[in-house]
Amino acid sequence: MIGSNLLRVASIATIASLAFGTITANAQSLIINEEELMITQAPAAAHLENLDEVFSGWIYRTKETQSLQLDDFDNPGMIFVDQALDEWAKVDGSAGKSCAACHTGGPAEFAGLRTVLPRWDDEAGAIQSMEDYINECRTERMQADAWKWSGTSMTAMTALISLESRGMPVNVVIDGPASDAWEQGKDIYYTRVGQLDMSCANCHENNYDTMIRADHLSQGQTNGFPVYRLKNAKLNSTHARFKGCMKNIRATPYKEGSDEFRALELYVASRGNGLSVEGASVRN
Amino acid sequence: MKRTAFLIIGATAAFAAMATAEITADDVVFDEYGSVAMSLTGVAGDAANGRDLFKNRKLGNCLACHKNTDLSDQAFQGEVGPSLDGVGDRWNEEELRGIVSNPKNTFEDTIMPAFYRTSGFFRTLEKFEGKSILSAQDVEDVIAYLQTLTE
């Protein structure tokens, strides 16, 4: 299908994909800093009815884009992680506190957190994303202003916290009190919207690994978020990506931080259960 | 001066005639196989313009999903749908009019958008509300072009 890319497939990946019986495009192993192996291909979770396997979006990027994620020195997203580290130590708000004042163990306290977000939160009585928890600390414990959902400070902080889970498999919970939101997210995923009348599934489930004009379609997984995109040269949140995809099909997007996008975020994350957290990843 | 005025009046008259002959998107009649027998405008399609619409990213953008050797100078050609080489041999004018206007009548559950449809959408962006992707004449132009794709 994408002949020239297939020729570049590394032997390990070829054997793996033959074993699974599917074709993957530019596959090679994603090993970061020559030591951290990411799971970019995994058997689909039981709740995924129409897929046998799931793939990280990294697999479908060009060699050039892929290589930017192989070393943190080459990864432009890491600049924002550094900025977030400064922010972490900075006092803000009328309580006179920084993140570090409460989280004395440093960002490492949050190892594993990215893998289970978004999740049902009893106290909030709702699905909460990482952005919600960060803003809860800012407004309630620091008495500081909430950050904009996809603002620079927010996406940088989510990158810093996600980095502590890098390599760990996504493992969001979809049953119990989360099940209503999960069903709602699933509904949104399969509903055709906009003048182009398409659903997320039309592109990311039925047509992944094909070219749509200049774009190589992935499964639209969220394990790489926040994502540094070469296109806008910044970190992008999952909700911003959902918004972009909806606008492309000429649909009115839901609002960033809305219940609809939290539900969709939970559902899409669950489709990637088993794939490594990559944030901050690099995409085009 | 006089000539210009005459031309303008002439053009307006032509538009008025077109507007009365044009079938609105809601009134297009599809047969049970999804074909549309009647021209949407009564004006013969312009294949050269149809070729432009086919590649234009903001209009037809058919290349997003379809390969087409006739446009091999265009770098990025999609793979979501079948190649349209020889499509003029496979489908006649009425079938092509149906497929481009609303392919869901020909191919159930297809991903291909309806290019001449204005209602029945969900959450359409305000600026596209009540509008079709292509105009009636655009569709006639595109199908005139598709008919030139023979092998």
Side-chain angles (χ1 to χ4, degrees):
Chain A
M1 195 177 298
I2 302 127
S4 60
N5 288 330
L6 274 174
L7 289 177
R8 296 195 298 232
V9 169
S11 56
I12 295 175
T14 311
I15 291 161
S17 47
L18 284 177
F20 282 106
T22 42
I23 303 168
T24 61
N26 312 4
Q28 65 175 57
S29 302
L30 173 51
I31 302 171
I32 298 176
N33 303 331
E34 294 183 352
E35 57 183 24
E36 291 175 59
L37 175 67
M38 299 293 123
I39 305 160
T40 53
Q41 178 171 7
H47 61 259
L48 249 176
E49 294 144 26
N50 307 322
L51 293 177
D52 296 330
E53 276 182 286
V54 290
F55 301 99
S56 162
W58 178 84
I59 290 196
Y60 305 98
R61 307 298 26 110
T62 62
K63 261 251 154 54
E64 294 71 28
T65 307
Q66 285 186 335
S67 68
L68 291 172
Q69 214 184 310
L70 297 181
D71 192 309
D72 284 344
F73 283 108
D74 299 329
N75 183 337
M78 292 304 154
I79 297 161
F80 298 94
V81 171
D82 282 345
Q83 290 175 7
L85 252 185
D86 293 342
E87 198 85 59
W88 177 270
K90 208 160 73 190
V91 173
D92 195 8
S94 48
K97 289 195 172 114
S98 65
C99 312
C102 292
H103 302 284
T104 51
E109 270 189 18
F110 297 126
L113 182 63
R114 169 84 275 173
T115 65
V116 296
L117 296 181
R119 71 176 170 208
W120 173 262
D121 186 300
D122 270 334
E123 229 169 282
I127 297 294
Q128 298 282 276
S129 301
M130 191 186 288
E131 288 85 347
D132 294 307
Y133 288 116
I134 292 172
N135 268 342
E136 188 186 313
C137 279
R138 286 191 54 82
T139 56
E140 289 175 22
R141 295 183 261 279
M142 296 167 71
Q143 307 284 318
D145 292 337
W147 278 332
K148 251 189 88 196
W149 194 273
S150 296
T152 314
S153 300
M154 181 63 94
T155 53
M157 191 57 74
T158 62
L160 175 69
I161 295 172
S162 298
L163 196 57
E164 294 297 334
S165 303
R166 191 159 74 180
M168 299 178 193
V170 175
N171 186 25
V172 294
V173 173
I174 66 169
D175 53 7
S179 64
D180 282 355
W182 185 81
E183 289 291 349
Q184 183 192 6
K186 183 178 178 184
D187 223 56
I188 295 173
Y189 192 87
Y190 285 103
T191 302
R192 288 176 184 258
V193 289
Q195 193 192 37
L196 268 56
D197 203 28
M198 291 179 191
S199 70
C200 314
N202 280 145
C203 287
H204 294 299
E205 181 170 281
N206 305 332
N207 285 294
Y208 69 90
D209 199 10
T210 58
M211 296 301 288
I212 187 158
R213 202 117 193 197
D215 288 312
H216 192 180
L217 281 171
S218 73
Q219 289 183 341
Q221 300 287 1
T222 49
N223 61 302
F225 280 80
V227 163
Y228 179 88
R229 291 189 67 192
L230 301 170
K231 187 180 166 183
N232 58 15
K234 62 171 191 163
L235 289 174
N236 296 265
S237 70
T238 46
H239 292 201
R241 181 79 234 200
F242 296 166
K243 193 170 148 187
C245 282
M246 288 186 78
K247 282 181 131 175
N248 282 342
I249 50 179
R250 301 184 175 180
T252 310
Y254 297 99
K255 293 218 165 8
E256 293 181 356
S258 63
D259 287 342
E260 287 90 348
F261 268 175
R262 281 200 198 85
L264 184 61
E265 186 189 345
L266 174 64
Y267 177 70
V268 178
S270 81
R271 294 175 66 92
N273 272 356
L275 294 172
S276 286
V277 168
E278 288 173 29
S281 68
V282 185
R283 306 284 189 259
N284 53 318
Chain B
M1 269 303 274
K2 251 192 186 155
R3 266 233 324 273
T4 331
F6 176 76
L7 279 177
I8 290 169
I9 293 165
T12 320
F15 272 121
M18 243 171 72
T20 46
E22 189 171 303
I23 301 174
T24 64
D26 281 340
D27 289 334
V28 178
V29 179
F30 294 85
D31 77 8
E32 60 181 310
Y33 305 105
S35 294
V36 175
M38 263 240 288
S39 163
L40 301 177
T41 60
V43 177
D46 172 353
N49 190 45
R51 191 171 187 269
D52 286 341
L53 292 165
F54 193 99
K55 60 184 173 191
N56 186 309
R57 283 182 157 77
K58 292 224 149 61
L59 293 165
N61 201 11
C62 312
L63 274 186
C65 296
H66 295 286
K67 283 195 165 61
N68 176 1
T69 309
D70 181 52
L71 290 166
S72 51
D73 59 318
Q74 299 290 309
F76 300 108
Q77 307 209 351
E79 311 171 315
V80 173
S83 159
L84 293 187
D85 290 356
V87 76
D89 300 323
R90 291 194 290 279
W91 304 94
N92 66 31
E93 180 185 331
E94 301 180 359
E95 290 164 336
L96 289 171
R97 186 176 292 115
I99 292 172
V100 178
S101 298
N102 187 352
K104 270 123 193 155
N105 296 308
T106 310
F107 312 111
E108 213 187 330
D109 296 330
T110 186
I111 185 179
M112 180 167 152
F115 287 88
Y116 196 55
R117 182 177 159 203
T118 49
S119 60
F121 296 120
F122 178 52
R123 292 190 74 84
T124 298
L125 269 179
E126 212 174 288
K127 68 174 166 174
F128 298 109
E129 193 87 62
K131 296 186 177 134
S132 55
I133 303 174
L134 294 179
S135 71
Q137 192 57 45
D138 288 346
V139 172
E140 292 300 325
D141 293 354
V142 167
I143 62 179
Y145 171 60
L146 295 177
Q147 288 173 276
T148 70
L149 301 177
T150 53
E151 281 170 338

